[in-house]
Amino acid sequence: MSRIGKKPVQIPAGVEVAVDGTHVSVKGSKGTLEADFYEKLTIEVEDGVLTVSRPDDERETRARHGLTRALIQNMVIGVSEGYTKVLELAGVGYRVQLKGKDLDLSLGYSHPVIYTAPEGITFECPDNTHIHVKGIDKQQVGQVAAEIRAKRPPEPYKGKGIHYLGEHIRRKLGKAAK
């Protein structure tokens, strides 16, 4: 058995989970998420606990067992607490401003870079060098953070660019090392 797949998902107070065959919808204080899962898996909710079980040990079924449980767990956490990724800008003149719901990034280009917030994502800028990407869908929050980071990834010589808070950037010595 999958060690992750056989663990039950605890449903906190204030979160409603509706299972219709392989379609799962999770509703909480922050919003609603829905997803369809592999048809061979059985998803059951009893007494505030959700369990995912599989009928056989075929390769595909085993592979999707733990994945399904993890995705449902992420949905439950998302609608109750939400997800946040923090990005940091490093470099002289690199700044960010919030214009309505969009980000206005100054990244050393000859023009400002505007990033429009997709549906379900909100941005916060506590100062002009930090971006908080918030949402209820873990995959979408990570994707948006990766797209913003891709606008100016950190370079290895001076470390300038956009990086995740706490991300280690491998540094190179450059010409001086020779």
Side-chain angles (χ1 to χ4, degrees):
M1 285 294 277
S2 166
R3 282 184 283 178
I4 292 174
K6 66 183 176 184
K7 287 173 67 176
V9 176
Q10 298 295 327
I11 301 170
V15 175
E16 297 175 24
V17 177
V19 179
D20 181 29
T22 58
H23 181 80
V24 176
S25 102
V26 182
K27 187 177 183 181
S29 61
K30 298 214 179 253
T32 304
L33 290 173
E34 296 184 8
D36 289 311
F37 295 103
Y38 192 55
E39 61 273 355
K40 289 187 179 180
L41 296 174
T42 308
I43 303 167
E44 298 170 339
V45 179
E46 292 178 10
D47 301 327
V49 176
L50 185 140
T51 55
V52 179
S53 56
R54 64 176 192 239
D56 53 37
D57 280 342
E58 288 182 18
R59 184 181 179 99
E60 181 78 8
T61 312
R62 283 182 308 167
R64 294 200 186 205
H65 186 206
L67 172 70
T68 300
R69 188 258 178 212
L71 291 175
I72 293 172
Q73 172 76 27
N74 290 343
M75 290 167 65
V76 169
I77 292 172
V79 298
S80 61
E81 301 168 23
Y83 288 100
T84 303
K85 284 263 189 184
V86 181
L87 296 165
E88 187 174 33
L89 280 73
V92 177
Y94 287 22
R95 289 186 305 279
V96 63
Q97 286 182 322
L98 207 54
K99 291 206 174 167
K101 292 184 177 183
D102 302 340
L103 288 178
D104 183 10
L105 300 155
S106 299
L107 300 174
Y109 297 121
S110 61
H111 54 86
V113 176
I114 306 293
Y115 189 86
T116 306
E119 189 71 32
I121 296 292
T122 57
F123 297 122
E124 286 182 11
C125 297
D127 55 38
N128 63 1
T129 59
H130 289 86
I131 305 166
H132 293 253
V133 181
K134 294 185 174 194
I136 61 172
D137 186 357
K138 186 176 186 177
Q139 191 275 332
Q140 187 183 24
V141 169
Q143 181 65 38
V144 168
E147 288 172 4
I148 294 170
R149 184 183 181 275
K151 300 291 181 191
R152 181 70 97 170
E155 53 97 15
Y157 297 102
K158 292 184 178 178
K160 292 168 56 171
I162 303 173
H163 58 88
Y164 299 111
L165 190 66
E167 176 185 6
H168 177 72
I169 300 160
R170 288 190 61 191
R171 301 295 291 269
K172 292 182 180 178
L173 296 174
K175 281 189 202 178
K178 293 185 182 194

